[in-house]
Amino acid sequence: MPPEHRTLALVAPVAGFLLGFLDFVWIKWVPYPLAELGNSTATWAVAAFALGWWVRAGALRAAVAAVVLLVVAVPSYYLAAALLQGDDLAVIVAPTSLLWMASGVLAGVVFGVAGVWARTTGWRRVVATALPVAVFVEEALRFVARARTGYPGAWWNVLIDLGLAALLLELVGRTLRVRLLAAAVALPLAVAGTFVFAVVGG
């Protein structure tokens, strides 16, 4: 059964706080190359997808919940940095933080809805299954570029991201036909995402 509105209103911000805070903890104390999973846009996007999956039904509910999750996670991350590393709390309202929150709105809508669509049928299910796979493939492509410049441990991160992409394809796809179609959709999405990051990153 889909969660009640009150349950969702509690879970989304609490999950967002935990996502941001534990993300910083992960980066600070987990050794590389696994530490990179904390500093990962794919990980956060898939967290929004997972929340939408848990919501089960109601694209609007899933989108709002996922937006809350990601937007709350940003100041929670910087709060953890202040408490555990002594960073300045003012960074919570810095332009970079606000930009990440704005990105969280967009990603929350897309991946929250995708989590619900992944439980449906037809083209929506295929596209929704492809999205969480694509973000890890896209991140793997970025690590390939880093590896070519000598970034330490980058090839391990490529393998980790591709492994997670394959795992998500297996778990979310559920049937061979959906998995094959989703893989075909995920690849061009990943390439497009690589170009977007290249443009945004300058």
PDB file of all heavy atoms in Angstrom, residues 44-50 52-53 59-60 62-67 70 102-118 124 127-132 134-135 189:
ATOM      1  N   TRP A  44      22.648  10.469  -5.106  1.00  0.00           N
ATOM      2  CA  TRP A  44      21.527  11.302  -4.655  1.00  0.00           C
ATOM      3  C   TRP A  44      20.322  11.140  -5.572  1.00  0.00           C
ATOM      4  O   TRP A  44      19.175  11.091  -5.109  1.00  0.00           O
ATOM      5  CB  TRP A  44      21.965  12.770  -4.579  1.00  0.00           C
ATOM      6  CG  TRP A  44      22.813  13.086  -3.379  1.00  0.00           C
ATOM      7  CD1 TRP A  44      23.803  12.304  -2.861  1.00  0.00           C
ATOM      8  CD2 TRP A  44      22.745  14.246  -2.546  1.00  0.00           C
ATOM      9  NE1 TRP A  44      24.365  12.924  -1.775  1.00  0.00           N
ATOM     10  CE2 TRP A  44      23.734  14.109  -1.552  1.00  0.00           C
ATOM     11  CE3 TRP A  44      21.960  15.390  -2.560  1.00  0.00           C
ATOM     12  CZ2 TRP A  44      23.950  15.068  -0.575  1.00  0.00           C
ATOM     13  CZ3 TRP A  44      22.173  16.369  -1.584  1.00  0.00           C
ATOM     14  CH2 TRP A  44      23.151  16.201  -0.602  1.00  0.00           C
ATOM     15  N   ALA A  45      20.566  11.057  -6.878  1.00  0.00           N
ATOM     16  CA  ALA A  45      19.459  10.872  -7.821  1.00  0.00           C
ATOM     17  C   ALA A  45      18.754   9.549  -7.575  1.00  0.00           C
ATOM     18  O   ALA A  45      17.512   9.471  -7.585  1.00  0.00           O
ATOM     19  CB  ALA A  45      19.986  10.929  -9.259  1.00  0.00           C
ATOM     20  N   VAL A  46      19.526   8.504  -7.317  1.00  0.00           N
ATOM     21  CA  VAL A  46      18.927   7.192  -7.063  1.00  0.00           C
ATOM     22  C   VAL A  46      18.210   7.175  -5.712  1.00  0.00           C
ATOM     23  O   VAL A  46      17.219   6.460  -5.539  1.00  0.00           O
ATOM     24  CB  VAL A  46      19.994   6.089  -7.170  1.00  0.00           C
ATOM     25  CG1 VAL A  46      19.443   4.741  -6.703  1.00  0.00           C
ATOM     26  CG2 VAL A  46      20.469   5.970  -8.615  1.00  0.00           C
ATOM     27  N   ALA A  47      18.668   7.970  -4.755  1.00  0.00           N
ATOM     28  CA  ALA A  47      17.932   8.099  -3.489  1.00  0.00           C
ATOM     29  C   ALA A  47      16.539   8.680  -3.742  1.00  0.00           C
ATOM     30  O   ALA A  47      15.549   8.227  -3.163  1.00  0.00           O
ATOM     31  CB  ALA A  47      18.707   8.982  -2.511  1.00  0.00           C
ATOM     32  N   ALA A  48      16.456   9.688  -4.616  1.00  0.00           N
ATOM     33  CA  ALA A  48      15.150  10.258  -4.973  1.00  0.00           C
ATOM     34  C   ALA A  48      14.297   9.230  -5.702  1.00  0.00           C
ATOM     35  O   ALA A  48      13.082   9.130  -5.469  1.00  0.00           O
ATOM     36  CB  ALA A  48      15.350  11.497  -5.849  1.00  0.00           C
ATOM     37  N   PHE A  49      14.921   8.448  -6.574  1.00  0.00           N
ATOM     38  CA  PHE A  49      14.215   7.381  -7.275  1.00  0.00           C
ATOM     39  C   PHE A  49      13.667   6.352  -6.282  1.00  0.00           C
ATOM     40  O   PHE A  49      12.519   5.907  -6.389  1.00  0.00           O
ATOM     41  CB  PHE A  49      15.160   6.706  -8.273  1.00  0.00           C
ATOM     42  CG  PHE A  49      14.557   5.546  -9.000  1.00  0.00           C
ATOM     43  CD1 PHE A  49      13.862   5.740 -10.182  1.00  0.00           C
ATOM     44  CD2 PHE A  49      14.685   4.249  -8.504  1.00  0.00           C
ATOM     45  CE1 PHE A  49      13.296   4.667 -10.860  1.00  0.00           C
ATOM     46  CE2 PHE A  49      14.133   3.176  -9.176  1.00  0.00           C
ATOM     47  CZ  PHE A  49      13.435   3.376 -10.352  1.00  0.00           C
ATOM     48  N   ALA A  50      14.501   5.968  -5.316  1.00  0.00           N
ATOM     49  CA  ALA A  50      14.083   4.979  -4.319  1.00  0.00           C
ATOM     50  C   ALA A  50      12.896   5.476  -3.499  1.00  0.00           C
ATOM     51  O   ALA A  50      11.986   4.706  -3.170  1.00  0.00           O
ATOM     52  CB  ALA A  50      15.256   4.635  -3.399  1.00  0.00           C
ATOM     53  N   GLY A  52      10.613   7.592  -4.580  1.00  0.00           N
ATOM     54  CA  GLY A  52       9.467   7.486  -5.471  1.00  0.00           C
ATOM     55  C   GLY A  52       8.981   6.057  -5.594  1.00  0.00           C
ATOM     56  O   GLY A  52       7.774   5.799  -5.628  1.00  0.00           O
ATOM     57  N   TRP A  53       9.898   5.130  -5.647  1.00  0.00           N
ATOM     58  CA  TRP A  53       9.549   3.705  -5.692  1.00  0.00           C
ATOM     59  C   TRP A  53       8.766   3.310  -4.445  1.00  0.00           C
ATOM     60  O   TRP A  53       7.783   2.577  -4.522  1.00  0.00           O
ATOM     61  CB  TRP A  53      10.837   2.883  -5.811  1.00  0.00           C
ATOM     62  CG  TRP A  53      10.647   1.395  -5.798  1.00  0.00           C
ATOM     63  CD1 TRP A  53      10.551   0.577  -4.701  1.00  0.00           C
ATOM     64  CD2 TRP A  53      10.529   0.527  -6.937  1.00  0.00           C
ATOM     65  NE1 TRP A  53      10.397  -0.715  -5.081  1.00  0.00           N
ATOM     66  CE2 TRP A  53      10.379  -0.791  -6.446  1.00  0.00           C
ATOM     67  CE3 TRP A  53      10.549   0.749  -8.311  1.00  0.00           C
ATOM     68  CZ2 TRP A  53      10.248  -1.885  -7.289  1.00  0.00           C
ATOM     69  CZ3 TRP A  53      10.411  -0.339  -9.145  1.00  0.00           C
ATOM     70  CH2 TRP A  53      10.264  -1.643  -8.643  1.00  0.00           C
ATOM     71  N   ALA A  59       2.249  10.294  -8.943  1.00  0.00           N
ATOM     72  CA  ALA A  59       3.468  10.939  -9.435  1.00  0.00           C
ATOM     73  C   ALA A  59       3.733  12.267  -8.742  1.00  0.00           C
ATOM     74  O   ALA A  59       4.880  12.602  -8.422  1.00  0.00           O
ATOM     75  CB  ALA A  59       3.376  11.134 -10.949  1.00  0.00           C
ATOM     76  N   LEU A  60       2.667  13.047  -8.493  1.00  0.00           N
ATOM     77  CA  LEU A  60       2.844  14.346  -7.843  1.00  0.00           C
ATOM     78  C   LEU A  60       3.360  14.176  -6.420  1.00  0.00           C
ATOM     79  O   LEU A  60       4.276  14.895  -5.996  1.00  0.00           O
ATOM     80  CB  LEU A  60       1.522  15.115  -7.843  1.00  0.00           C
ATOM     81  CG  LEU A  60       1.557  16.491  -7.175  1.00  0.00           C
ATOM     82  CD1 LEU A  60       2.567  17.396  -7.874  1.00  0.00           C
ATOM     83  CD2 LEU A  60       0.164  17.130  -7.197  1.00  0.00           C
ATOM     84  N   ALA A  62       5.087  11.703  -5.243  1.00  0.00           N
ATOM     85  CA  ALA A  62       6.470  11.234  -5.316  1.00  0.00           C
ATOM     86  C   ALA A  62       7.414  12.369  -5.682  1.00  0.00           C
ATOM     87  O   ALA A  62       8.514  12.479  -5.118  1.00  0.00           O
ATOM     88  CB  ALA A  62       6.574  10.108  -6.338  1.00  0.00           C
ATOM     89  N   ALA A  63       6.995  13.225  -6.605  1.00  0.00           N
ATOM     90  CA  ALA A  63       7.836  14.345  -7.017  1.00  0.00           C
ATOM     91  C   ALA A  63       8.076  15.299  -5.855  1.00  0.00           C
ATOM     92  O   ALA A  63       9.217  15.720  -5.596  1.00  0.00           O
ATOM     93  CB  ALA A  63       7.194  15.080  -8.186  1.00  0.00           C
ATOM     94  N   VAL A  64       7.018  15.669  -5.136  1.00  0.00           N
ATOM     95  CA  VAL A  64       7.152  16.591  -4.005  1.00  0.00           C
ATOM     96  C   VAL A  64       8.038  15.984  -2.923  1.00  0.00           C
ATOM     97  O   VAL A  64       8.929  16.645  -2.374  1.00  0.00           O
ATOM     98  CB  VAL A  64       5.768  16.954  -3.445  1.00  0.00           C
ATOM     99  CG1 VAL A  64       5.902  17.746  -2.145  1.00  0.00           C
ATOM    100  CG2 VAL A  64       4.961  17.749  -4.465  1.00  0.00           C
ATOM    101  N   ALA A  65       7.805  14.716  -2.614  1.00  0.00           N
ATOM    102  CA  ALA A  65       8.599  14.056  -1.572  1.00  0.00           C
ATOM    103  C   ALA A  65      10.074  14.003  -1.958  1.00  0.00           C
ATOM    104  O   ALA A  65      10.958  14.255  -1.130  1.00  0.00           O
ATOM    105  CB  ALA A  65       8.069  12.647  -1.328  1.00  0.00           C
ATOM    106  N   ALA A  66      10.356  13.678  -3.218  1.00  0.00           N
ATOM    107  CA  ALA A  66      11.742  13.587  -3.665  1.00  0.00           C
ATOM    108  C   ALA A  66      12.416  14.955  -3.679  1.00  0.00           C
ATOM    109  O   ALA A  66      13.611  15.072  -3.379  1.00  0.00           O
ATOM    110  CB  ALA A  66      11.807  12.944  -5.048  1.00  0.00           C
ATOM    111  N   VAL A  67      11.668  15.993  -4.028  1.00  0.00           N
ATOM    112  CA  VAL A  67      12.218  17.355  -3.982  1.00  0.00           C
ATOM    113  C   VAL A  67      12.579  17.713  -2.542  1.00  0.00           C
ATOM    114  O   VAL A  67      13.673  18.249  -2.276  1.00  0.00           O
ATOM    115  CB  VAL A  67      11.217  18.367  -4.564  1.00  0.00           C
ATOM    116  CG1 VAL A  67      11.634  19.801  -4.220  1.00  0.00           C
ATOM    117  CG2 VAL A  67      11.116  18.207  -6.079  1.00  0.00           C
ATOM    118  N   LEU A  70      15.846  15.902  -1.486  1.00  0.00           N
ATOM    119  CA  LEU A  70      17.103  16.428  -2.016  1.00  0.00           C
ATOM    120  C   LEU A  70      17.402  17.842  -1.541  1.00  0.00           C
ATOM    121  O   LEU A  70      18.565  18.187  -1.293  1.00  0.00           O
ATOM    122  CB  LEU A  70      17.077  16.376  -3.546  1.00  0.00           C
ATOM    123  CG  LEU A  70      17.015  14.971  -4.156  1.00  0.00           C
ATOM    124  CD1 LEU A  70      17.033  15.053  -5.680  1.00  0.00           C
ATOM    125  CD2 LEU A  70      18.158  14.094  -3.652  1.00  0.00           C
ATOM    126  N   ALA A 102      18.506  24.105  -5.998  1.00  0.00           N
ATOM    127  CA  ALA A 102      17.722  24.266  -7.223  1.00  0.00           C
ATOM    128  C   ALA A 102      17.852  23.035  -8.110  1.00  0.00           C
ATOM    129  O   ALA A 102      16.867  22.569  -8.698  1.00  0.00           O
ATOM    130  CB  ALA A 102      18.189  25.512  -7.976  1.00  0.00           C
ATOM    131  N   SER A 103      19.048  22.483  -8.185  1.00  0.00           N
ATOM    132  CA  SER A 103      19.246  21.248  -8.945  1.00  0.00           C
ATOM    133  C   SER A 103      18.461  20.104  -8.321  1.00  0.00           C
ATOM    134  O   SER A 103      17.942  19.222  -9.027  1.00  0.00           O
ATOM    135  CB  SER A 103      20.733  20.889  -8.982  1.00  0.00           C
ATOM    136  OG  SER A 103      21.489  21.916  -9.593  1.00  0.00           O
ATOM    137  N   GLY A 104      18.366  20.123  -6.982  1.00  0.00           N
ATOM    138  CA  GLY A 104      17.598  19.098  -6.282  1.00  0.00           C
ATOM    139  C   GLY A 104      16.127  19.140  -6.620  1.00  0.00           C
ATOM    140  O   GLY A 104      15.457  18.099  -6.643  1.00  0.00           O
ATOM    141  N   VAL A 105      15.612  20.335  -6.896  1.00  0.00           N
ATOM    142  CA  VAL A 105      14.207  20.449  -7.301  1.00  0.00           C
ATOM    143  C   VAL A 105      13.991  19.730  -8.629  1.00  0.00           C
ATOM    144  O   VAL A 105      13.065  18.915  -8.778  1.00  0.00           O
ATOM    145  CB  VAL A 105      13.781  21.932  -7.411  1.00  0.00           C
ATOM    146  CG1 VAL A 105      12.375  22.037  -8.002  1.00  0.00           C
ATOM    147  CG2 VAL A 105      13.841  22.608  -6.044  1.00  0.00           C
ATOM    148  N   LEU A 106      14.847  20.010  -9.583  1.00  0.00           N
ATOM    149  CA  LEU A 106      14.728  19.374 -10.902  1.00  0.00           C
ATOM    150  C   LEU A 106      14.922  17.860 -10.811  1.00  0.00           C
ATOM    151  O   LEU A 106      14.107  17.081 -11.326  1.00  0.00           O
ATOM    152  CB  LEU A 106      15.750  19.973 -11.858  1.00  0.00           C
ATOM    153  CG  LEU A 106      15.795  19.362 -13.267  1.00  0.00           C
ATOM    154  CD1 LEU A 106      14.450  19.509 -13.967  1.00  0.00           C
ATOM    155  CD2 LEU A 106      16.906  20.009 -14.090  1.00  0.00           C
ATOM    156  N   ALA A 107      15.999  17.438 -10.131  1.00  0.00           N
ATOM    157  CA  ALA A 107      16.277  16.010 -10.014  1.00  0.00           C
ATOM    158  C   ALA A 107      15.189  15.295  -9.214  1.00  0.00           C
ATOM    159  O   ALA A 107      14.822  14.155  -9.532  1.00  0.00           O
ATOM    160  CB  ALA A 107      17.635  15.802  -9.350  1.00  0.00           C
ATOM    161  N   GLY A 108      14.661  15.957  -8.187  1.00  0.00           N
ATOM    162  CA  GLY A 108      13.610  15.349  -7.384  1.00  0.00           C
ATOM    163  C   GLY A 108      12.362  15.070  -8.194  1.00  0.00           C
ATOM    164  O   GLY A 108      11.751  13.999  -8.073  1.00  0.00           O
ATOM    165  N   VAL A 109      11.981  16.020  -9.032  1.00  0.00           N
ATOM    166  CA  VAL A 109      10.795  15.826  -9.880  1.00  0.00           C
ATOM    167  C   VAL A 109      11.022  14.658 -10.830  1.00  0.00           C
ATOM    168  O   VAL A 109      10.202  13.735 -10.937  1.00  0.00           O
ATOM    169  CB  VAL A 109      10.462  17.112 -10.658  1.00  0.00           C
ATOM    170  CG1 VAL A 109       9.389  16.828 -11.707  1.00  0.00           C
ATOM    171  CG2 VAL A 109      10.004  18.209  -9.704  1.00  0.00           C
ATOM    172  N   VAL A 110      12.158  14.667 -11.526  1.00  0.00           N
ATOM    173  CA  VAL A 110      12.429  13.642 -12.543  1.00  0.00           C
ATOM    174  C   VAL A 110      12.536  12.257 -11.926  1.00  0.00           C
ATOM    175  O   VAL A 110      11.865  11.305 -12.358  1.00  0.00           O
ATOM    176  CB  VAL A 110      13.720  13.987 -13.320  1.00  0.00           C
ATOM    177  CG1 VAL A 110      14.115  12.828 -14.236  1.00  0.00           C
ATOM    178  CG2 VAL A 110      13.528  15.264 -14.122  1.00  0.00           C
ATOM    179  N   PHE A 111      13.350  12.124 -10.890  1.00  0.00           N
ATOM    180  CA  PHE A 111      13.605  10.794 -10.344  1.00  0.00           C
ATOM    181  C   PHE A 111      12.520  10.332  -9.377  1.00  0.00           C
ATOM    182  O   PHE A 111      12.295   9.124  -9.238  1.00  0.00           O
ATOM    183  CB  PHE A 111      14.986  10.754  -9.694  1.00  0.00           C
ATOM    184  CG  PHE A 111      16.093  10.743 -10.705  1.00  0.00           C
ATOM    185  CD1 PHE A 111      16.653  11.937 -11.151  1.00  0.00           C
ATOM    186  CD2 PHE A 111      16.546   9.567 -11.250  1.00  0.00           C
ATOM    187  CE1 PHE A 111      17.657  11.940 -12.105  1.00  0.00           C
ATOM    188  CE2 PHE A 111      17.551   9.559 -12.210  1.00  0.00           C
ATOM    189  CZ  PHE A 111      18.103  10.746 -12.637  1.00  0.00           C
ATOM    190  N   GLY A 112      11.852  11.268  -8.716  1.00  0.00           N
ATOM    191  CA  GLY A 112      10.709  10.877  -7.898  1.00  0.00           C
ATOM    192  C   GLY A 112       9.590  10.281  -8.737  1.00  0.00           C
ATOM    193  O   GLY A 112       9.036   9.228  -8.418  1.00  0.00           O
ATOM    194  N   VAL A 113       9.275  10.951  -9.845  1.00  0.00           N
ATOM    195  CA  VAL A 113       8.251  10.438 -10.761  1.00  0.00           C
ATOM    196  C   VAL A 113       8.712   9.117 -11.370  1.00  0.00           C
ATOM    197  O   VAL A 113       7.923   8.176 -11.517  1.00  0.00           O
ATOM    198  CB  VAL A 113       7.944  11.469 -11.860  1.00  0.00           C
ATOM    199  CG1 VAL A 113       7.044  10.863 -12.931  1.00  0.00           C
ATOM    200  CG2 VAL A 113       7.273  12.701 -11.248  1.00  0.00           C
ATOM    201  N   ALA A 114       9.992   9.033 -11.708  1.00  0.00           N
ATOM    202  CA  ALA A 114      10.512   7.792 -12.293  1.00  0.00           C
ATOM    203  C   ALA A 114      10.340   6.611 -11.345  1.00  0.00           C
ATOM    204  O   ALA A 114      10.056   5.487 -11.785  1.00  0.00           O
ATOM    205  CB  ALA A 114      11.986   7.960 -12.659  1.00  0.00           C
ATOM    206  N   GLY A 115      10.494   6.850 -10.051  1.00  0.00           N
ATOM    207  CA  GLY A 115      10.304   5.771  -9.087  1.00  0.00           C
ATOM    208  C   GLY A 115       8.901   5.197  -9.129  1.00  0.00           C
ATOM    209  O   GLY A 115       8.701   3.985  -8.984  1.00  0.00           O
ATOM    210  N   VAL A 116       7.917   6.059  -9.332  1.00  0.00           N
ATOM    211  CA  VAL A 116       6.532   5.599  -9.464  1.00  0.00           C
ATOM    212  C   VAL A 116       6.318   4.918 -10.812  1.00  0.00           C
ATOM    213  O   VAL A 116       5.708   3.849 -10.912  1.00  0.00           O
ATOM    214  CB  VAL A 116       5.555   6.779  -9.290  1.00  0.00           C
ATOM    215  CG1 VAL A 116       4.121   6.350  -9.618  1.00  0.00           C
ATOM    216  CG2 VAL A 116       5.621   7.326  -7.870  1.00  0.00           C
ATOM    217  N   TRP A 117       6.821   5.538 -11.866  1.00  0.00           N
ATOM    218  CA  TRP A 117       6.655   4.978 -13.213  1.00  0.00           C
ATOM    219  C   TRP A 117       7.288   3.594 -13.337  1.00  0.00           C
ATOM    220  O   TRP A 117       6.833   2.769 -14.141  1.00  0.00           O
ATOM    221  CB  TRP A 117       7.271   5.915 -14.242  1.00  0.00           C
ATOM    222  CG  TRP A 117       6.402   7.075 -14.603  1.00  0.00           C
ATOM    223  CD1 TRP A 117       5.255   7.473 -13.982  1.00  0.00           C
ATOM    224  CD2 TRP A 117       6.629   8.004 -15.665  1.00  0.00           C
ATOM    225  NE1 TRP A 117       4.737   8.591 -14.580  1.00  0.00           N
ATOM    226  CE2 TRP A 117       5.560   8.937 -15.620  1.00  0.00           C
ATOM    227  CE3 TRP A 117       7.618   8.152 -16.617  1.00  0.00           C
ATOM    228  CZ2 TRP A 117       5.464   9.995 -16.521  1.00  0.00           C
ATOM    229  CZ3 TRP A 117       7.527   9.199 -17.524  1.00  0.00           C
ATOM    230  CH2 TRP A 117       6.455  10.112 -17.483  1.00  0.00           C
ATOM    231  N   ALA A 118       8.334   3.329 -12.581  1.00  0.00           N
ATOM    232  CA  ALA A 118       9.005   2.031 -12.666  1.00  0.00           C
ATOM    233  C   ALA A 118       8.104   0.889 -12.227  1.00  0.00           C
ATOM    234  O   ALA A 118       8.387  -0.276 -12.505  1.00  0.00           O
ATOM    235  CB  ALA A 118      10.276   2.047 -11.821  1.00  0.00           C
ATOM    236  N   ARG A 124       6.601   4.016 -20.034  1.00  0.00           N
ATOM    237  CA  ARG A 124       6.967   4.698 -18.780  1.00  0.00           C
ATOM    238  C   ARG A 124       7.874   3.811 -17.928  1.00  0.00           C
ATOM    239  O   ARG A 124       8.839   4.284 -17.333  1.00  0.00           O
ATOM    240  CB  ARG A 124       5.712   5.075 -17.995  1.00  0.00           C
ATOM    241  CG  ARG A 124       4.918   6.225 -18.585  1.00  0.00           C
ATOM    242  CD  ARG A 124       3.736   6.577 -17.684  1.00  0.00           C
ATOM    243  NE  ARG A 124       2.997   7.714 -18.179  1.00  0.00           N
ATOM    244  CZ  ARG A 124       2.016   7.646 -19.065  1.00  0.00           C
ATOM    245  NH1 ARG A 124       1.654   6.457 -19.557  1.00  0.00           N
ATOM    246  NH2 ARG A 124       1.388   8.724 -19.475  1.00  0.00           N
ATOM    247  N   VAL A 127      11.473   3.787 -19.561  1.00  0.00           N
ATOM    248  CA  VAL A 127      12.206   5.033 -19.324  1.00  0.00           C
ATOM    249  C   VAL A 127      12.582   5.168 -17.856  1.00  0.00           C
ATOM    250  O   VAL A 127      13.710   5.563 -17.520  1.00  0.00           O
ATOM    251  CB  VAL A 127      11.372   6.242 -19.783  1.00  0.00           C
ATOM    252  CG1 VAL A 127      12.037   7.551 -19.360  1.00  0.00           C
ATOM    253  CG2 VAL A 127      11.184   6.206 -21.299  1.00  0.00           C
ATOM    254  N   ALA A 128      11.644   4.836 -16.977  1.00  0.00           N
ATOM    255  CA  ALA A 128      11.901   4.955 -15.543  1.00  0.00           C
ATOM    256  C   ALA A 128      13.009   4.003 -15.098  1.00  0.00           C
ATOM    257  O   ALA A 128      13.839   4.345 -14.252  1.00  0.00           O
ATOM    258  CB  ALA A 128      10.622   4.665 -14.759  1.00  0.00           C
ATOM    259  N   THR A 129      13.039   2.812 -15.658  1.00  0.00           N
ATOM    260  CA  THR A 129      14.101   1.858 -15.333  1.00  0.00           C
ATOM    261  C   THR A 129      15.441   2.347 -15.867  1.00  0.00           C
ATOM    262  O   THR A 129      16.492   2.165 -15.234  1.00  0.00           O
ATOM    263  CB  THR A 129      13.777   0.477 -15.931  1.00  0.00           C
ATOM    264  OG1 THR A 129      12.517   0.027 -15.418  1.00  0.00           O
ATOM    265  CG2 THR A 129      14.850  -0.538 -15.591  1.00  0.00           C
ATOM    266  N   ALA A 130      15.414   2.999 -17.016  1.00  0.00           N
ATOM    267  CA  ALA A 130      16.654   3.480 -17.636  1.00  0.00           C
ATOM    268  C   ALA A 130      17.300   4.617 -16.857  1.00  0.00           C
ATOM    269  O   ALA A 130      18.539   4.736 -16.835  1.00  0.00           O
ATOM    270  CB  ALA A 130      16.369   3.934 -19.072  1.00  0.00           C
ATOM    271  N   LEU A 131      16.511   5.466 -16.224  1.00  0.00           N
ATOM    272  CA  LEU A 131      17.060   6.674 -15.604  1.00  0.00           C
ATOM    273  C   LEU A 131      18.085   6.401 -14.496  1.00  0.00           C
ATOM    274  O   LEU A 131      19.190   6.970 -14.534  1.00  0.00           O
ATOM    275  CB  LEU A 131      15.922   7.551 -15.084  1.00  0.00           C
ATOM    276  CG  LEU A 131      15.247   8.442 -16.129  1.00  0.00           C
ATOM    277  CD1 LEU A 131      13.986   9.075 -15.561  1.00  0.00           C
ATOM    278  CD2 LEU A 131      16.214   9.521 -16.614  1.00  0.00           C
ATOM    279  N   PRO A 132      17.776   5.575 -13.487  1.00  0.00           N
ATOM    280  CA  PRO A 132      18.803   5.342 -12.460  1.00  0.00           C
ATOM    281  C   PRO A 132      20.020   4.610 -12.999  1.00  0.00           C
ATOM    282  O   PRO A 132      21.135   4.801 -12.499  1.00  0.00           O
ATOM    283  CB  PRO A 132      18.068   4.502 -11.403  1.00  0.00           C
ATOM    284  CG  PRO A 132      16.940   3.869 -12.131  1.00  0.00           C
ATOM    285  CD  PRO A 132      16.531   4.855 -13.179  1.00  0.00           C
ATOM    286  N   ALA A 134      21.169   5.064 -16.091  1.00  0.00           N
ATOM    287  CA  ALA A 134      21.887   6.063 -16.886  1.00  0.00           C
ATOM    288  C   ALA A 134      22.760   6.966 -16.030  1.00  0.00           C
ATOM    289  O   ALA A 134      23.868   7.339 -16.449  1.00  0.00           O
ATOM    290  CB  ALA A 134      20.885   6.899 -17.680  1.00  0.00           C
ATOM    291  N   VAL A 135      22.287   7.348 -14.833  1.00  0.00           N
ATOM    292  CA  VAL A 135      23.089   8.283 -14.038  1.00  0.00           C
ATOM    293  C   VAL A 135      24.387   7.642 -13.562  1.00  0.00           C
ATOM    294  O   VAL A 135      25.421   8.319 -13.461  1.00  0.00           O
ATOM    295  CB  VAL A 135      22.298   8.868 -12.842  1.00  0.00           C
ATOM    296  CG1 VAL A 135      21.223   9.814 -13.310  1.00  0.00           C
ATOM    297  CG2 VAL A 135      21.728   7.778 -11.950  1.00  0.00           C
ATOM    298  N   LEU A 189      21.024   8.316 -22.907  1.00  0.00           N
ATOM    299  CA  LEU A 189      20.788   9.249 -21.802  1.00  0.00           C
ATOM    300  C   LEU A 189      22.091   9.549 -21.062  1.00  0.00           C
ATOM    301  O   LEU A 189      22.351  10.689 -20.678  1.00  0.00           O
ATOM    302  CB  LEU A 189      19.756   8.668 -20.828  1.00  0.00           C
ATOM    303  CG  LEU A 189      18.295   8.666 -21.256  1.00  0.00           C
ATOM    304  CD1 LEU A 189      17.435   7.981 -20.191  1.00  0.00           C
ATOM    305  CD2 LEU A 189      17.797  10.086 -21.508  1.00  0.00           C
TER     306      LEU A 189
END
